[in-house]
Amino acid sequence: MKRLTPTLALLLALTPLAPAADNDPLRVLEPGKLPQDSRLTRVRTLNDKDFFFTPPASKEAWEARRKELREQVLVANGLWPMPEKTPLNPVIHGKIDREEYTIEKVFFASYPGHYVTGNLYRPKGKKGPLAAVLSPHGHWGDRSNPAGNGRLYRANDKTIEADLKSGAEKTREGAAYPLQARCAQLARMGCVVFHYDMVGYGDSTPIYHPGSKMNPSGGFADAAAELRLQSFMGLQTYNSIRALDFLLSLPEVDPKRVGVTGASGGGTQTFILCAIDDRPAAAFPAVMVSTAMQGGCICENCSYLRQSTGNIELAGLFAPKPLGMTGARDWTIEIETKGLPELKALYRLYGAEDRVMAKCFPEFGHNYNQVSREVMYNWFNKHLQLGQPEPVTERPFQPVPPQELSVFDEQHPRPKDAVGVEKLRAYLTEMSDRQIRALVPRDADSLKECRRVVGTALRVMINDKLPKSDDVEVAEAGRGERDGVRWRKLLLGRKGQGEQIPAVVLLGPEFDGTVVVWVHPQGKRSLLPDGKLVPAARQILDKKAAILAVDVFLTGEFEGAKPPPVNERYAGYTFGYNRPLLANRVHDILTAVAAAKGHPSVTTVHLLGFGKAGPWVVLARALCGDAVVRTAADVNRFRFEDVTTVSDEMMLPGALKYGGLPAFAALCAPGDLFLHNMPSPGAQEPDWVGGAYRAAGAGVYQRESEQAAPEKVVGWLLR
């Protein structure tokens, strides 16, 4: 045996030798045994009961986490960057007079051709500036016919009697019209209240709500919508932002005293809006925030929203502003013991523990009844500085028949330019494409902005970034030598994530500190397809470099494992909680890079991608910063436009919104990059990659339209 160089000896001596040399230099696990990887057995769903939140150790740690999580929510909702705000052109008409307040009918355009509808309650006899409350309603009434419910909800006689008997409601009016009751009471307390329709409810009918007979999937459930992050939830979230714009446009409203409250699905809208918009001063999401069920409707779910997080932490993004919550005999029943203590610990970092509260009423089912509403009135009375004597109790009111609250009539018909899902999505695509194409790098400043927007989006889409070496676990599973090549079998993974990524390190007689991370659709078996080392691998070893070959998720020794199922009805139910398959593969490449980079003997890391694994490598390289020196990848003529189903192994929600593979490849600059088997950009397509390298003024970028021979690629990589 030849004498090992000191660095090679160090590389091979991290852990004790296996008991005996293995005749198969590439097989890490016993034949027929799959990796014990949690991703094969655990697919998270909205109904899991462990969406726990661990409070950060310091305010600084939370501020960093808050920034990234807020970006995640924006990306997930298709609002990164924020869409171009077009004129609202509000119409306010049909004033209904009550003794202490008035009710008006409102509609305005959140997007051209898409209208938000609702009622505006204003207190009488009070001078501004006045506090204001935005009031989303949630899923009230018959889900199969939501147009007749929501803002226009009236309880049936059986429900009215039951609520009066149980003490949930104290007046017949409140029992019959609980949504009107809260708006009327807040107006009498001195608040301007905007009570607006969820999409598909009340007067918002050109687009039907998910779950209705007319629109069971929501109209945003196909692969094209996923690839552009166009979702029903994103539409509702943007409507809430524009509703807040409208409310703050009223001259009598005090912009420093704005609250938001809703229950159930309206609770989801409340804490999501308050997570991404700095303008609300107080929030009260009722019967929604919990460590259990996260929201069952398509309008409460979208890809990426709850990966590595949950509603408790999402609600915590509002800290240290006042956050009040209620629970009931539903998934929120444990809010006082699961969720509230952690939120109090978070608020304690700001010296504001008294600004977060939750009160559960387990004697009542899912509700926003008078008992719960009165908790909210007192919360807003204090934190919106309404000056009402406490305790505030709800007084009887004169309800308005639902048909009289309807926004459209003969004098104010539905606008002729109102559009349905198809035309709205076409507008969203055109508008978004215009925004993203403006990011094509031209100079140093535009390259920086491209990295900020597209780079942030990619981090969210992969739900990962290059880990620190301390966050990677490396376990040896065997070692040996054959024909002058030494191998070391490994199992890689992230600490605490229950992953097993089979890998192998190959070294020749000499090692100069360079490691090539080898990524192939067949995994590490591609090194020895017929029992003999392929020429490209031999070429790398002859150059004194080592090879780290990995079986990324569902390749190599994962053979026989089935990919986690994707909800075909709406992929947001899957990708809202779990990485897509493509993202898991990129995640594993990042693990391998960190494992190589963190070793004291390694000075240089290169990335090499073959066949359909080439795009995986490009996406990983885009997240590696300067940890990788050179990258060579077979693009395999892949375009995200070719993905037509949500279960496609290359599905990555948002990929087309952010410019596709060329835009992500631009993030590799200024690291040396060789892309081959890559189609030339069309006449109308921007030159993302070339523009990035010209703007960086550094690095080597080489592109070839044909597939390059492996030996040529290795020669370029190790030149």
Side-chain angles (χ1 to χ4, degrees), residues 11-12 22 24-29 474-481 485-492 501-507 515-519 522-528 533 537 541 546-552 557 592 595-596:
L11 187 66
L12 289 174
D22 194 328
D24 185 345
L26 300 181
R27 184 81 197 181
V28 174
L29 302 171
V474 181
E476 183 174 297
R479 62 174 63 183
E481 178 183 356
V485 176
R486 296 170 177 81
W487 70 81
R488 179 170 174 245
K489 301 178 182 184
L490 307 173
L491 284 171
L492 309 179
I501 308 165
V504 65
V505 175
L506 297 185
L507 302 105
V515 172
V516 175
V517 178
W518 176 290
V519 186
Q522 298 174 7
K524 51 188 169 42
R525 179 59 60 188
S526 60
L527 292 165
L528 293 164
L533 198 64
L541 300 183
I547 298 171
L548 172 58
V550 290
D551 290 343
V552 301
E557 293 188 52

Side-chain angles (χ1 to χ4, degrees), residues 7 511-515 596-597 599-605 627 629:
T7 53
F511 175 61
D512 67 359
T514 299
V515 172
K597 187 68 177 177
H599 195 280
S601 296
V602 174
T603 59
T604 304
V605 176
V629 176

Side-chain angles (χ1 to χ4, degrees), residues 170 185-186 189 282 284 322 324 357 368 370-394:
K170 300 174 185 176
Q185 178 65 30
L186 285 167
M189 293 169 64
F284 200 97
M357 64 81 64
Y368 205 173
Q370 183 170 342
V371 176
S372 297
R373 294 194 299 270
E374 289 180 348
V375 177
M376 176 268 292
Y377 299 146
N378 285 276
W379 187 254
F380 279 168
N381 187 48
K382 176 180 179 181
H383 294 290
L384 295 181
Q385 302 166 28
L386 303 180
Q388 297 292 311
E390 293 189 353
V392 179
T393 57
E394 185 176 286

Side-chain angles (χ1 to χ4, degrees), residues 454-476:
V454 180
T456 295
L458 183 61
R459 172 183 59 77
V460 172
M461 292 155 63
I462 304 301
N463 187 27
D464 204 8
K465 53 188 174 182
L466 186 69
K468 298 177 181 178
S469 57
D470 290 346
D471 293 330
V472 175
E473 294 177 324
V474 181
E476 183 174 297

Side-chain angles (χ1 to χ4, degrees), residues 19-208:
D22 194 328
N23 291 328
D24 185 345
L26 300 181
R27 184 81 197 181
V28 174
L29 302 171
E30 297 176 8
K33 186 176 181 180
L34 290 173
Q36 299 299 298
D37 194 299
S38 62
R39 294 171 293 180
L40 294 175
T41 57
R42 178 74 190 277
V43 178
R44 292 186 69 77
T45 74
L46 62 91
N47 289 311
D48 289 355
K49 300 183 184 301
D50 60 348
F51 288 94
F52 302 123
F53 167 50
T54 301
S58 67
K59 186 166 70 172
E60 292 73 24
W62 172 247
E63 292 294 337
R65 170 63 176 162
R66 181 181 184 274
K67 177 179 181 296
E68 291 192 351
L69 187 55
R70 191 175 192 180
E71 292 166 348
Q72 178 176 333
V73 176
L74 287 166
V75 171
N77 279 277
L79 302 177
W80 177 268
M82 190 62 65
E84 301 165 353
K85 288 189 175 182
T86 51
L88 294 172
N89 298 323
V91 175
I92 305 174
H93 70 96
K95 184 179 290 186
I96 299 170
D97 196 282
R98 289 292 183 260
E99 184 177 350
E100 298 176 80
Y101 59 94
T102 61
I103 308 172
E104 293 166 285
K105 305 168 185 181
V106 177
F107 62 93
F108 57 81
S110 63
Y111 288 116
H114 177 67
Y115 289 87
V116 175
T117 50
N119 294 120
L120 182 65
Y121 293 69
R122 301 200 228 203
K124 292 170 63 175
K126 294 182 181 292
K127 295 183 179 181
L130 302 175
V133 175
L134 193 63
S135 186
H137 56 71
H139 300 98
W140 293 91
D142 182 3
R143 289 283 296 278
S144 67
N145 181 30
N149 295 285
R151 177 174 58 88
L152 307 179
Y153 173 76
R154 182 194 186 280
N156 59 43
D157 292 342
K158 182 178 179 180
T159 299
I160 293 171
E161 296 302 328
D163 284 348
L164 289 171
K165 182 178 180 180
S166 69
E169 299 287 351
K170 300 174 185 176
T171 68
R172 187 164 294 275
E173 298 88 353
Y177 299 100
L179 281 77
Q180 285 191 47
R182 76 172 184 247
C183 297
Q185 178 65 30
L186 285 167
R188 287 185 295 189
M189 293 169 64
C191 297
V192 178
V193 182
F194 184 51
H195 188 206
Y196 61 107
D197 288 321
M198 294 169 68
V199 180
Y201 274 78
D203 292 304
S204 181
T205 52
I207 299 176
Y208 292 93

